[in-house]
Amino acid sequence: MQAARCPTDELSLTNCAVVSEKDLQSGQHVTVKTTPNHKYVFTVKSHHTVVPGTIAFSLPQRKWAGLSIGQEVEVANYNFDKSKQCIGAMTIEIDFLQKKSTDSSPYDSDKMASEFIQQFNNQGFSVTQQLVFSFCDKLFGLVIKDIEAMDPSILKGETATGKKTKIDVGLLVGNSQVIFEKAESSSLTLVGKAKTKEARQTIINPDWNFERMGIGGLDKEFSDIFRRAFASRVFPPDIVEQMGCKHVKGILLFGPPGCGKTLMARQIGKMLNAREPKIVNGPEILNKYVGESEANIRKLFADAEEEQKRLGANSGLHIIIFDELDAICKQRGTGASSTGVHDTVVNQLLSKIDGVEQLNNILVIGMTNRPDLIDEALMRPGRFEVKMEIGLPDEKGRVQILNIHTAKMREFNLLGGDVDVKELATETKNYSGAELEGLVRAAQSTAMNRHIKATATVEVDMERAEKLKVTRDDFLGSLNNDIKPAFGTNQEDYSSYIMNGIIKWGDPVTRVLDDGELLVQQTKNSDRTPLVAVLLEGPPHSGKTALAAKIAEDSQFPFIKICSPDKMIGHSEISKLTDSMTSFVLDCVSSDYVPIGPRFSNLVLQALLVLLKKPPPKGRKLLIIGTTSRKDVLQEMEMLDAFSTTIHIPNISTGEHLVEALEVRFFSAASQTKSGLPLLSRLKESGCGLELKSYSCLLKCHFRYLTLPQHSASY
């Protein structure tokens, strides 16, 4: 081919040899042989202005290769060996291209290195090569001084071996390290780490320490996110392109409040070699003026759009973090307002993430604790493709979190020797990360309060304060009194139903508890029945609610919730409907029915009919226990069939059962009074068919009469 002059100044800044579209394709690598002993490697770019049969070079390229206009050169394809020729580190000598354009302003070598990789990614470079680099509207002349090959272990995702190999020709990839050195006698001022030979962090650091970054209990979630979202960004772009692989552009983190969603998103932004993340709270997007909410969305993506237009596939990664995503991305068409602002905001966000002019240099991280409210179009692959539940930490995770929050106290010897983190992790079942942090703060406050003098003024006893220790009792006191888990088992709730214990007055009670245990085991162990719904029915005051609470307590399920009529007082039908969607123990299902006539909410009824049959999410188990004293009403409402089984709870019907109940509850073999013995005998003979509560009233009256000076024989 014949050497020619580069057709435009813009093409001369690409460091590519320019050829005709008929000869070669953009992105190919070639060797240009000028003499029998001299050949040079170039990356080519096709352009319609170049005459076929010619290859155009910029002035620095011609100077480096010793080329003249019109010179005949021999051009051949060149293929890089990815396992040996990927550039791990490249040292570049830099100076102003023209002496008249020099200035004393400091130039950030880190940003310069990042821009260099973006502009010249996937290009071949040789030692002694000369090129022109545009940065901050200034032109710089560069000379390649040294090239080190990348350790093959890094490409395989393994720990680097530290072996360094010098090479003459290499391929620049996304995680190559670029080091700038100021040329001798140059007036250029460089700042930043990239002007030295310090190691730079790759996009994923294999030695990443979760505890050091203040995150505990989320190791598996981090691993899953890396596998799905960042594996494709580590590999060289040409390999990714050959696979036809697209980068993941959206991650949705959802789960209960306080479990670390915002913290995880913030640390992802810090640990990646990318632009500074843009963190946006959902409600901040909304604006009262027409069109401003959509404009706010467009502004978030403006920098990424501009860089992609300028650098194409070599553009850096832009991270946008949406906190409280459900505030702006509700289901379209469900808003009560007539403005439709939420709908247009969702439309704008959809078009920016994966519209006609889609961006490939963005990563949008959304966080919410109400994923059910988010528009379904946002959840499909290509948008928020990776959906990760950040749930309550397990015991191992709680140990990590407690170690993180007590590390400072342990370092300065302020943590008592009797504090066992593993014991605290066992006792804090169903606690979120935020609640564990609150527990540590409460224990610290309790410990500090011991050293405050309660005098006319609030003072700290400095002599004792120097011996301050946060002890085990401080943690246990805070655990029992200050910090309670928002999710999981509310022990105070169901303990109130069984505060007097369960009176096992006979086989009917034992049989109900045994049946309840079987249903619990079926729910736990059977993969074919993830949903079990049981109805306890019987006459009033027979102990249905107490037995339901006892079965729930003995199940040791991590989440128990009781929904009873007293919690529905003052609620509208829609509020009752919402509350019903989170119920696990339904007390008095037919409480809306009165003897005067049937009166019930059809909305609540239909919701219960659907929810009682709806299976839980995959991998979860659900046991629903309902209680009612009006089985006939449920039969009329066609609700009885929604329960998989029904258990009858009878009243006491025999004298033997009555005596057994009274002996367990009110008497013992050693403490029966003379006045109590004939009463038990009389009741055993004739007192049957009453409620247990009626017997309690009878006994109270009996003992009250015994205290009178002379009680009537007719009693």
Side-chain angles (χ1 to χ4, degrees):
M1 302 181 76
Q2 192 175 43
R5 183 181 285 106
C6 191
T8 66
D9 292 339
E10 184 180 352
L11 289 172
S12 66
L13 297 177
T14 62
N15 190 42
C16 292
V18 188
V19 296
S20 171
E21 298 171 346
K22 297 179 180 179
D23 293 332
L24 295 166
Q25 298 297 318
S26 293
Q28 285 185 260
H29 310 292
V30 298
T31 57
V32 176
K33 191 173 184 180
T34 56
T35 67
N37 298 322
H38 294 88
K39 61 181 179 181
Y40 304 88
V41 176
F42 290 94
T43 303
V44 300
K45 188 177 186 69
S46 60
H47 198 264
H48 64 89
T49 59
V50 179
V51 179
T54 62
I55 180 167
F57 300 95
S58 64
L59 180 60
Q61 290 172 329
R62 297 200 303 273
K63 183 178 178 182
W64 168 54
L67 290 164
S68 58
I69 304 298
Q71 180 180 346
E72 294 289 334
V73 294
E74 184 179 328
V75 180
N77 281 326
Y78 183 84
N79 295 317
F80 282 96
D81 185 347
K82 298 292 194 322
S83 62
K84 297 179 180 178
Q85 289 186 287
C86 285
I87 296 176
M90 182 165 64
T91 306
I92 302 174
E93 185 181 90
I94 183 170
D95 194 7
F96 292 107
L97 184 64
Q98 296 177 335
K99 297 299 181 183
K100 64 181 181 180
S101 62
T102 59
D103 60 33
S104 58
S105 301
Y107 289 89
D108 190 334
S109 58
D110 294 326
K111 293 182 179 178
M112 192 178 285
S114 176
E115 189 75 19
F116 182 90
I117 291 174
Q118 292 168 32
Q119 287 190 26
F120 304 118
N121 193 19
N122 204 34
Q123 287 194 23
F125 287 90
S126 305
V127 177
T128 71
Q129 181 176 346
Q130 300 177 22
L131 65 151
V132 177
F133 175 49
S134 175
F135 180 75
C136 292
D137 297 328
K138 289 280 186 179
L139 294 179
F140 297 90
L142 308 182
V143 178
I144 309 300
K145 303 294 290 184
D146 183 71
I147 300 177
E148 291 179 2
M150 183 176 291
D151 191 335
S153 301
I154 296 177
L155 296 174
K156 297 176 183 178
E158 301 172 357
T159 305
T161 60
K163 184 179 179 181
K164 296 182 179 180
T165 306
K166 302 285 186 182
I167 54 177
D168 294 326
V169 181
L171 182 68
L172 188 71
V173 293
N175 55 346
S176 298
Q177 182 182 358
V178 177
I179 303 161
F180 287 102
E181 290 183 352
K182 186 175 68 171
E184 293 183 11
S185 69
S186 173
S187 61
L188 178 65
T189 304
L190 289 178
V191 294
K193 293 182 179 180
K195 64 185 179 65
T196 64
K197 293 194 176 183
E198 294 181 10
R200 285 172 51 198
Q201 189 180 18
T202 58
I203 198 165
I204 298 177
N205 187 352
D207 299 324
W208 189 260
N209 187 325
F210 299 106
E211 293 192 12
R212 177 171 54 83
M213 296 307 297
I215 299 178
L218 297 175
D219 301 35
K220 182 181 181 300
E221 287 80 358
F222 256 104
S223 300
D224 290 344
I225 289 175
F226 290 156
R227 175 179 60 84
R228 292 291 313 280
F230 304 123
S232 62
R233 300 184 186 274
V234 176
F235 275 79
D238 58 329
I239 297 179
V240 176
E241 187 177 350
Q242 290 169 10
M243 292 180 67
C245 176
K246 290 184 178 180
H247 299 311
V248 168
K249 292 183 284 187
I251 302 173
L252 180 66
L253 306 178
F254 66 93
C259 289
K261 300 183 294 295
T262 305
L263 181 61
M264 177 181 279
R266 193 183 301 125
Q267 296 305 334
I268 288 175
K270 285 183 180 179
M271 69 184 297
L272 292 180
N273 187 17
R275 299 285 186 271
E276 185 71 21
K278 296 179 180 178
I279 302 177
V280 185
N281 293 319
E284 294 176 358
I285 293 294
L286 302 178
N287 194 294
K288 64 179 180 179
Y289 295 108
V290 176
E292 286 299 313
S293 300
E294 297 88 326
N296 290 337
I297 294 288
R298 290 193 293 272
K299 288 175 186 175
L300 294 174
F301 293 86
D303 292 340
E305 285 181 331
E306 185 274 330
E307 190 169 308
Q308 180 161 299
K309 287 179 182 177
R310 184 164 50 91
L311 301 175
N314 298 329
S315 174
L317 179 62
H318 293 253
I319 299 176
I320 302 172
I321 299 175
F322 282 97
D323 201 2
E324 304 299 338
L325 184 67
D326 54 278
I328 60 171
C329 293
K330 290 184 172 66
Q331 290 278 356
R332 286 172 290 181
T334 59
S337 130
S338 59
T339 60
V341 171
H342 282 97
D343 292 1
T344 55
V345 169
V346 174
N347 293 337
Q348 184 71 77
L349 190 59
L350 291 173
S351 64
K352 286 298 179 185
I353 297 177
D354 191 28
V356 177
E357 296 181 358
Q358 60 181 346
L359 298 171
N360 202 35
N361 61 342
I362 58 169
L363 178 63
V364 182
I365 303 175
M367 292 165 289
T368 181
N369 47 34
R370 292 296 305 273
D372 53 301
L373 296 181
I374 297 177
D375 193 271
E376 292 181 357
L378 274 169
M379 311 293 280
R380 71 159 174 78
R383 288 167 183 165
F384 285 103
E385 183 169 342
V386 178
K387 292 174 279 292
M388 186 65 58
E389 181 177 6
I390 311 298
L392 296 173
D394 57 11
E395 187 170 334
K396 179 183 175 183
R398 294 195 294 274
V399 170
Q400 290 183 358
I401 295 169
L402 288 169
N403 279 328
I404 289 169
H405 294 301
T406 58
K408 279 282 185 183
M409 292 190 289
R410 196 177 295 108
E411 180 183 350
F412 293 100
N413 198 27
L414 295 175
L415 191 65
D418 59 347
V419 177
D420 186 356
V421 172
K422 291 185 178 179
E423 178 194 11
L424 292 175
T426 304
E427 294 294 327
T428 51
K429 188 177 181 180
N430 296 321
Y431 277 64
S432 67
E435 288 162 346
L436 291 172
E437 184 182 2
L439 175 66
V440 175
R441 283 201 302 269
Q444 292 168 339
S445 301
T446 305
M448 288 188 288
N449 193 56
R450 288 199 300 269
H451 302 287
I452 295 177
K453 295 179 182 178
T455 59
T457 60
V458 179
E459 297 178 357
V460 177
D461 189 346
M462 295 305 297
E463 294 181 3
R464 295 178 60 193
E466 293 179 357
K467 301 177 183 179
L468 175 68
K469 291 271 188 181
V470 182
T471 65
R472 176 176 179 270
D473 290 338
D474 296 328
F475 279 99
L476 294 182
S478 301
L479 192 64
N480 295 326
N481 303 319
D482 297 327
I483 307 296
K484 298 292 183 182
F487 292 86
T489 304
N490 187 351
Q491 191 167 2
E492 295 177 359
D493 198 354
Y494 66 77
S495 293
S496 63
Y497 293 104
I498 51 176
M499 57 184 174
N500 294 321
I502 299 295
I503 302 173
K504 297 183 180 179
W505 47 262
D507 291 340
V509 178
T510 307
R511 195 180 305 116
V512 171
L513 293 174
D514 290 344
D515 290 346
E517 175 63 21
L518 286 174
L519 291 168
V520 168
Q521 294 303 322
Q522 178 186 354
T523 309
K524 284 183 179 179
N525 302 323
S526 175
D527 294 330
R528 301 186 63 180
T529 54
L531 170 65
V532 176
V534 57
L535 178 67
L536 305 184
E537 60 87 15
H541 309 302
S542 57
K544 301 179 295 298
T545 304
L547 288 169
K550 181 64 175 174
I551 293 170
E553 182 185 33
D554 293 344
S555 70
Q556 296 296 311
F557 281 174
F559 188 96
I560 299 174
K561 183 172 182 180
I562 294 182
C563 180
S564 55
D566 61 298
K567 296 178 182 177
M568 298 294 183
I569 296 174
H571 286 216
S572 65
E573 288 194 1
I574 298 300
S575 299
K576 291 181 182 179
L577 185 67
T578 304
D579 285 346
S580 299
M581 294 176 69
T582 59
S583 301
F584 288 80
V585 176
L586 303 174
D587 189 23
C588 297
V589 178
S590 57
S591 60
D592 274 349
Y593 180 89
V594 291
I596 297 174
R599 190 199 71 79
F600 63 94
S601 166
N602 190 52
L603 279 175
V604 175
L605 173 62
Q606 297 304 322
L608 287 175
L609 288 174
V610 171
L611 294 172
L612 285 171
K613 298 178 181 178
K614 181 181 179 182
K618 186 178 180 181
R620 305 294 172 87
K621 304 293 184 70
L622 178 60
L623 172 63
I624 301 174
I625 305 175
T627 67
T628 184
S629 57
R630 297 299 304 268
K631 181 180 177 182
D632 55 324
V633 174
L634 297 187
Q635 184 70 52
E636 288 181 21
M637 294 191 296
E638 299 181 354
M639 192 175 178
L640 208 57
D641 295 336
F643 292 92
S644 53
T645 185
T646 302
I647 299 177
H648 178 67
I649 312 295
N651 267 331
I652 293 175
S653 57
T654 66
E656 287 79 4
H657 289 162
L658 171 62
V659 171
E660 182 71 22
L662 293 176
E663 285 182 346
V664 172
R665 180 66 182 88
F666 298 103
F667 300 100
S668 65
S671 64
Q672 286 185 0
T673 63
K674 290 183 179 180
S675 57
L677 285 170
L679 175 65
L680 290 179
S681 301
R682 292 282 301 278
L683 291 174
K684 186 173 182 179
E685 294 174 2
S686 60
C688 303
L690 297 179
E691 302 166 357
L692 192 59
K693 182 176 284 189
S694 302
Y695 293 125
S696 301
C697 296
L698 182 62
L699 284 170
K700 290 176 184 177
C701 295
H702 172 63
F703 290 119
R704 188 178 300 117
Y705 273 94
L706 288 177
T707 61
L708 298 176
Q710 291 180 345
H711 51 275
S712 170
S714 62
Y715 162 73

